[in-house]
Amino acid sequence: MSSPLYPLPRHFQREERVLQQQGISCWQELSSLSDHDLRALSRQGGALERQLRKLRGQAQLVVELELQPHEAALLLYAGIASTRGLAQASPQQLLMQLGRLERSLTGMAPPRLDASTVRAWIQRAQRATGLSRN
């Protein structure tokens, strides 16, 4: 069973309301929605298709790579929008990018990510996509 979807961050309130009205309650359900589904949901009032696409991208990372929702969100904000994109990422460059992003969000708090975590994510993505870095 997929982990529960709610509560979502405040900036996704409208999207959360529309998803709940449609009975979408877990990351697995959200990850399987098509572009057409997202477009239809956005027409139901309030939800932005762009925001729904971001949430679906996050859901796909959560489901495909078994990441925590906050880890998937961090990857999205760092420009990694798919398992394939993560599989092709450079561990050093991604760690540097994520570190900058984390510092901009948390100030000078100690970093929560380390090189081994980032390498493990990339390896998981490579296995999931069949890609390997040579």
Side-chain angles (χ1 to χ4, degrees):
M1 180 171 148
S2 186
S3 60
L5 183 57
Y6 308 112
L8 292 173
R10 285 184 48 154
H11 59 279
F12 288 116
Q13 279 182 326
R14 294 181 295 188
E15 291 72 25
E16 180 175 329
R17 187 172 46 254
V18 168
L19 291 169
Q20 284 178 327
Q21 288 170 350
Q22 291 301 305
I24 297 166
S25 61
C26 67
W27 292 105
Q28 178 72 43
E29 293 169 344
L30 178 55
S31 74
S32 65
L33 295 177
S34 68
D35 288 348
H36 177 10
D37 295 333
L38 298 181
R39 213 167 293 115
L41 287 172
S42 72
R43 286 192 212 115
Q44 292 182 7
L48 297 175
E49 185 177 348
R50 178 183 78 247
Q51 293 290 78
L52 290 169
R53 285 179 186 266
K54 285 180 189 177
L55 284 170
R56 181 186 59 189
Q58 182 179 0
Q60 289 170 336
L61 290 171
V62 166
V63 171
E64 293 170 10
L65 300 176
E66 299 178 4
L67 296 177
Q68 293 298 312
H70 71 274
E71 294 169 335
L74 192 60
L75 285 170
L76 281 175
Y77 285 107
I80 302 295
S82 69
T83 299
R84 185 173 205 75
L86 181 58
Q88 297 172 331
S90 156
Q92 297 81 10
Q93 186 174 348
L94 183 57
L95 183 62
M96 190 170 65
Q97 203 172 343
L98 291 170
R100 275 196 300 258
L101 182 56
E102 251 189 330
R103 282 189 299 281
S104 76
L105 296 172
T106 63
M108 292 311 291
R112 296 180 354 186
L113 291 174
D114 58 26
S116 64
T117 300
V118 171
R119 276 194 302 276
W121 290 350
I122 291 171
Q123 289 169 349
R124 227 182 293 167
Q126 290 170 344
R127 282 192 300 275
T129 60
L131 296 176
S132 65
R133 289 186 67 88
N134 294 337

